Amino acid sequence: MATMTTAVAAVPGAGPEVRGLARRVGALSPVLAVIALLLVPGGGGGAQGGTGGTGTVADAASGLLVLVCLVRVVRSGARPLTRTAAVVLGLPVLGVCLAAITSNDPGASLPGVARYVQIFVLVPAAVLLSVRDRRDFAVVAWALVGLGLLQGAVGVVQYLTGTGASYQGEDVRAVGTFGATDVMGMATVVAYGLVIATGLALGGTAGRTRTVSLACAGALFVPLVLSFSRGAWIATILTCALQLLLSGLRRAGRVALVAAALGVVLVGGLGIGSDMVKERVTSITQVTAAPDQSVTDRYTLWAAAGRMWRGEPLTGVGLKGFPAYRDSNASLALSSGSDTAGAGAAFARQPLLSPHNMYLLVLSEQGLVGLLALAGGWAALLVAAVRRRRLGADCALVAIGLLTWQLVDFFYADIGGPSTVLMSVVLGLAAWWSLAEVRRA
């Protein structure tokens, strides 16, 4: 089996390799289309929490991906998934359906069923079945890095020209093409790319591939900082630290020093968002001592989700039920919404329709059964990815990194908005490494 390096280091003009890469890209075109269409500005569904945010062109492409994969499976006549993969990927259906059936308004829960099945079952399964080997894995991984670089470039320009989303009265927040209503979109995309690039650089690849990976990671660091997304910062720092530790303690020490020096130069020396970054970092720890309103809203919503769960501990209040039960469970500290403006959008109040914590959202709407089913599948993927490290450090560090980043970020975010469908692609890519038959590199 060829290594990931071979897949991405084809020399221009090497006819057979170029044609082979073209065939792979063609076979993976439904997956790559979902990634590419996230460059389309706007995105439609906004940043609605929970199960909102559908109706984007990338969502439509994900539906086409599932359909194409279904046709391929039917034509092949082979069993598409192993028993383990079917159980792990199918677990969320149990909690979702049970929450919908026991909901006080089953009709209102049906769109939530469709959204959860799309994001956590169908699209990941389709990506898993579309990726055939390490070279396919490499093509999709580098496509994600490319998307991060393009969105990050737009974000940096927004910061430099004052055309980004509003932050502290200035239109400087880097949001890429996602707009002011989905401020986490660009941060998520850039963080995925940075984690992938870090995994490739640390995973044993050599020569040009490692150099390009390190360059991409450094380039993606800048827009990540300028996103002013505390959750993305925390998830990225913890994930990269884990990747470094898994790659070896000696290397971890060297890379940590280089990363710290890069941060000092970019933020301290060049002054990239230094004052705003310092204020944003400080606000992470200001929970009781004069927290800003966004922190107050976050913890108030978390408390409300906890009260909903205590009222319906097993099955929750029902899919898409959080907004309906929010006011009766939240304290008066909760504001009416968050302010959004800039990046081509007029000032608006964005309603707070979810707790901005995926685990608490699932716990409040689907209860303990739903949380165990959904989070249990994620944990199984992560454990399997770690156990397969010896089969290939590059793929392993990428898969472990993506899963870790998502699981950490879920403490500060939930599904909703145009970037959500990309998360399902990422889960599918990691699931291929965790669940598919993989040979030693």
Side-chain angles (χ1 to χ4, degrees):
M1 179 77 67
T3 64
M4 180 178 292
T5 305
T6 307
V8 295
V11 179
E17 291 193 22
V18 172
R19 288 194 295 270
L21 179 59
R23 285 194 295 269
R24 286 185 179 276
V25 170
L28 291 168
S29 57
V31 179
L32 300 179
V34 177
I35 298 173
L37 287 173
L38 282 164
L39 290 169
V40 177
Q48 301 173 33
T51 54
T54 61
T56 70
V57 290
D59 278 302
S62 74
L64 181 61
L65 164 64
V66 173
L67 181 60
V68 169
C69 189
L70 179 62
V71 171
R72 288 177 179 173
V73 169
V74 172
R75 290 181 61 183
S76 69
R79 187 173 68 177
L81 297 172
T82 64
R83 184 174 302 175
T84 300
V87 171
V88 171
L89 292 178
L91 270 177
V93 178
L94 172 65
V96 168
C97 291
L98 183 61
I101 293 172
T102 58
S103 171
N104 291 328
D105 190 355
S109 296
L110 287 180
V113 174
R115 185 62 164 167
Y116 271 94
V117 171
Q118 173 206 4
I119 296 301
F120 295 114
V121 181
L122 294 180
V123 176
V127 173
L128 186 156
L129 294 174
S130 298
V131 176
R132 297 162 299 178
D133 52 32
R134 295 172 185 270
R135 293 188 174 187
D136 283 358
F137 186 99
V139 171
V140 177
W142 279 106
L144 291 168
V145 174
L147 175 65
L149 289 171
L150 291 172
Q151 288 285 1
V154 175
V156 172
V157 171
Q158 289 172 333
Y159 174 81
L160 294 175
T161 60
T163 56
S166 178
Y167 180 75
Q168 293 186 349
E170 300 181 54
D171 293 343
V172 295
R173 188 169 191 175
V175 293
T177 64
F178 293 100
T181 58
D182 188 15
V183 293
M184 277 293 295
M186 189 215 71
T188 299
V189 171
V190 168
Y192 285 155
L194 197 156
V195 167
I196 291 171
T198 302
L200 293 175
L202 297 174
T205 55
R208 184 171 58 184
T209 302
R210 175 176 292 176
T211 302
V212 172
S213 299
L214 289 173
C216 290
L220 289 167
F221 173 80
V222 177
L224 180 63
V225 171
L226 299 180
S227 71
F228 300 110
S229 173
R230 293 169 294 201
W233 292 349
I234 294 171
T236 304
I237 291 171
L238 294 178
T239 298
C240 290
L242 176 62
Q243 288 176 311
L244 282 169
L245 290 175
L246 292 176
S247 68
L249 294 178
R250 184 175 299 177
R251 176 185 290 177
R254 293 198 301 266
V255 175
L257 289 176
V258 173
L262 179 64
V264 170
V265 171
L266 291 176
V267 179
L270 299 181
I272 296 179
S274 55
D275 292 338
M276 293 182 177
V277 170
K278 181 179 179 180
E279 183 277 334
R280 196 67 166 167
V281 171
T282 303
S283 69
I284 295 175
T285 59
Q286 291 177 334
V287 180
T288 57
D292 61 34
Q293 187 58 49
S294 65
V295 174
T296 300
D297 287 341
R298 182 72 56 92
Y299 286 97
T300 303
L301 290 167
W302 288 6
R307 294 188 186 98
M308 293 180 201
W309 169 66
R310 286 191 290 272
E312 297 286 346
L314 289 181
T315 58
V317 299
L319 291 176
K320 296 182 71 68
F322 185 90
Y325 288 84
R326 182 197 62 184
D327 292 342
S328 60
N329 289 277
S331 70
L332 295 176
L334 182 66
S335 66
S336 60
S338 59
D339 297 339
T340 61
F347 174 83
R349 292 286 289 174
Q350 190 76 16
L352 302 174
L353 302 178
S354 76
H356 297 288
N357 179 307
M358 190 64 195
Y359 304 108
L360 290 177
L361 175 65
V362 175
L363 192 64
S364 62
E365 292 190 343
Q366 301 179 40
L368 196 58
V369 174
L371 181 62
L372 290 177
L374 199 59
W378 300 334
L381 290 178
L382 182 58
V383 170
V386 173
R387 293 180 63 182
R388 290 187 168 195
R389 280 176 56 204
R390 293 184 178 180
L391 298 180
D394 46 7
C395 292
L397 288 178
V398 169
I400 293 170
L402 290 173
L403 288 169
T404 301
W405 189 93
Q406 196 61 69
L407 293 179
V408 174
D409 185 67
F410 273 159
F411 283 102
Y412 305 93
D414 49 50
I415 61 173
S419 60
T420 299
V421 70
L422 187 65
M423 180 193 66
S424 64
V425 173
V426 165
L427 289 176
L429 186 65
W432 177 82
W433 174 254
S434 299
L435 302 175
E437 182 179 353
V438 181
R439 299 178 184 178
R440 186 183 298 272

